[in-house]
Amino acid sequence: MDGTFATNLVHFVRYLRARGLGLGPGTAAVLGQAIDVVGLDSKTDLYLALRSIIVVRPSQQPAFDEAFDLFFGGVVTGVEIPEDFTEHRSDQREAKRAVTPVFARNVPDPDDEAADEEISEVRGASALERLSHRDFGTLDANEQEQVRRLIDRMVWKPAAVTSRRWGPPRKGVRPDLRRTLRNVSGATGDLMPLEWTDPRMRRRPLVVIADISGSMERYSELFLHFIHAAQGKLGRVESFVFATRLSRITREMRLRRPEQALAKVALAVSDWSGGTRIGEALETFNRVWARRVTHGGAICLIISDGWDTGDPELLSTEMARLARSVHRIVWLNPLAGRSGYKPATRGMQAALPYIDDLLAAGTLVDLHTVVRLLESIPARRGGRVAAHV
């Protein structure tokens, strides 16, 4: 495959990506390998080979046909996969090497300024890549739905810690006297083989306390969707929301479908988009819930922009009490990723001394950073990191 054809093939993939198809960076190389196999003698074979790689659902077929017509000069319709489709002779491959296809004349010229607007989407990053860097507060309804699907696809691999319980060995670090004595009554009792045991590994519990006050209204729904995704992939997750008072929503968030879970939460919580009293909410959590949900070295995830109408001294006192109950406090602020941001609000100033990690959380990329942090939190508590913004 010569350089001109390879370059055109890359533009073919970028054109499809700009039309909304989720093609990865290695798609052009895979298409080139397929062309090496089927050759260029038959446009039908070429069409079927490229379509089998790119089109994964019926809704993508029109975009593929448009691109194929644009780059290869004509759509092949009404075709079926021939019985000997996978059988190709070596002479076909040799013929391919001698022929370079001529793309249709209406392919946009990358140097044509008149076509610049049309091909700008092709040259840049894919739509999903751009969406990953968009602030949640600026998304329309369709973009929010795309972000929800991307959140559902997140891969969570939380860091494991050593449990106090012991179990069957991987290597065996100490004798297991209970199982050893149990085997005395068996067929090998006279030999009394020594059994071994290892400490079990477990995941840390996660406690999420999310702000749903008026200043967080543009972000609350996507954050709740993020919590629901964590609920399904991390196991033991306790969820709370607050504005003027604290509400536990763990039971509602355990519903399998996120839209049902959020609908239940909307019915269960009565102070949506109200004022913000972070200190009073944490006081309720520490007094009523901390002993029940923070055992086992839990990680506490607080989601708030820090705008507080309550008493800063109360917030400082309750943050100190919370820090003594959990393994680590991670504060997610949707405003922290903005240029020139400083935690200058009185709520953030009161809470900052007790925060281990202050992270931005206004975009999908920020949420990926949060997931990576949860995957890398060490078993033992180290020094606090005031900010990662």
Side-chain angles (χ1 to χ4, degrees):
M1 181 183 302
D2 64 17
T4 301
F5 182 55
T7 301
N8 287 333
L9 197 58
V10 170
H11 282 287
F12 175 67
V13 173
R14 289 178 178 174
Y15 183 90
L16 288 169
R17 191 180 295 141
R19 293 303 183 271
L21 276 68
L23 304 180
T27 304
V30 175
L31 295 179
Q33 295 172 1
I35 294 173
D36 285 338
V37 174
V38 302
L40 295 171
D41 289 342
S42 171
K43 182 178 290 187
T44 299
D45 286 356
L46 178 63
Y47 175 85
L48 291 172
L50 300 186
R51 187 181 68 175
S52 67
I53 296 171
I54 294 174
V55 178
V56 297
R57 56 180 62 91
S59 60
Q60 297 175 342
Q61 182 70 43
F64 173 77
D65 287 344
E66 175 189 349
F68 190 88
D69 180 35
L70 186 64
F71 281 83
F72 295 95
V75 177
V76 180
T77 58
V79 297
E80 297 180 356
I81 299 177
E83 295 181 359
D84 60 343
F85 181 71
T86 58
E87 298 178 2
H88 304 279
R89 300 187 303 275
S90 60
D91 57 341
Q92 290 178 317
R93 299 180 183 176
E94 293 298 329
K96 193 280 308 176
R97 294 189 181 95
V99 178
T100 299
V102 178
F103 287 1
R105 287 179 295 176
N106 58 343
V107 176
D109 184 0
D111 298 325
D112 186 2
E113 294 181 359
D116 182 71
E117 181 178 354
E118 181 178 356
I119 67 173
S120 60
E121 297 293 325
V122 176
R123 287 179 172 176
S126 69
L128 294 181
E129 290 172 342
R130 292 193 305 276
L131 190 62
S132 298
H133 292 82
R134 288 277 302 280
D135 189 280
F136 292 155
T138 65
L139 303 179
D140 59 29
N142 292 332
E143 291 170 336
Q144 288 184 4
E145 180 60 31
Q146 294 181 54
V147 169
R148 293 188 194 98
R149 290 197 294 266
L150 293 174
I151 290 175
D152 289 335
R153 298 175 191 169
M154 281 186 177
V155 178
W156 297 69
K157 296 180 181 178
V161 296
T162 303
S163 171
R164 295 181 180 180
R165 296 180 179 271
W166 292 70
R170 293 166 296 170
K171 296 180 180 179
V173 297
R174 79 177 189 185
D176 187 345
L177 297 182
R178 177 178 295 179
R179 287 199 299 151
T180 299
L181 294 177
R182 187 185 301 134
N183 291 339
V184 170
S185 61
T188 60
D190 294 340
L191 300 177
M192 196 174 179
L194 188 62
E195 298 288 347
W196 297 85
T197 185
D198 271 345
R200 294 180 180 178
M201 304 302 292
R202 63 173 177 83
R203 296 176 179 175
R204 288 192 180 278
L206 182 65
V207 178
V208 184
I209 305 176
D211 186 348
I212 56 169
S213 63
S215 61
M216 290 286 292
E217 185 175 5
R218 296 179 299 167
Y219 301 93
S220 297
E221 183 178 351
L222 288 177
F223 282 142
L224 289 176
H225 201 93
F226 177 71
I227 296 172
H228 184 272
Q231 187 93 40
K233 298 174 183 178
L234 293 184
R236 184 181 159 198
V237 180
E238 288 286 342
S239 307
F240 300 83
V241 293
F242 71 91
T244 56
R245 63 185 182 88
L246 186 75
S247 301
R248 182 173 181 258
I249 59 169
T250 302
R251 181 175 300 177
E252 289 80 4
M253 296 299 283
R254 285 175 180 166
L255 294 175
R256 184 172 183 179
R257 297 179 59 185
E259 58 272 16
Q260 292 180 346
L262 268 61
K264 288 288 186 181
V265 170
L267 294 175
V269 179
S270 59
D271 58 339
W272 285 95
S273 301
T276 312
R277 297 184 177 272
I278 306 176
E280 294 181 9
L282 293 181
E283 181 183 26
T284 302
F285 177 82
N286 289 329
R287 186 181 68 251
V288 179
W289 296 104
R291 285 182 176 269
R292 308 186 200 183
V293 302
T294 62
H295 58 278
I299 298 169
C300 183
L301 207 65
I302 301 178
I303 306 175
S304 175
D305 56 7
W307 289 98
D308 186 26
T309 59
D311 183 3
E313 294 185 2
L314 176 63
L315 174 57
S316 179
T317 300
E318 296 305 325
M319 283 292 296
R321 184 177 300 174
L322 177 63
R324 294 192 294 268
S325 302
V326 299
H327 175 74
R328 199 175 189 91
I329 297 179
V330 181
W331 191 296
L332 307 185
N333 190 325
L335 308 180
R338 298 181 181 180
S339 177
Y341 168 80
K342 294 182 180 180
T345 62
R346 65 178 187 173
M348 290 305 306
Q349 287 293 316
L352 198 59
Y354 309 100
I355 297 173
D356 294 284
D357 302 277
L358 173 59
L359 301 179
T363 67
L364 193 62
V365 172
D366 294 338
L367 295 187
H368 280 287
T369 302
V370 174
V371 172
R372 289 196 297 270
L373 174 68
L374 295 177
E375 295 173 353
S376 61
I377 288 179
R380 295 186 178 274
R381 186 167 187 163
R384 284 189 171 85
V385 179
H388 287 279
V389 296

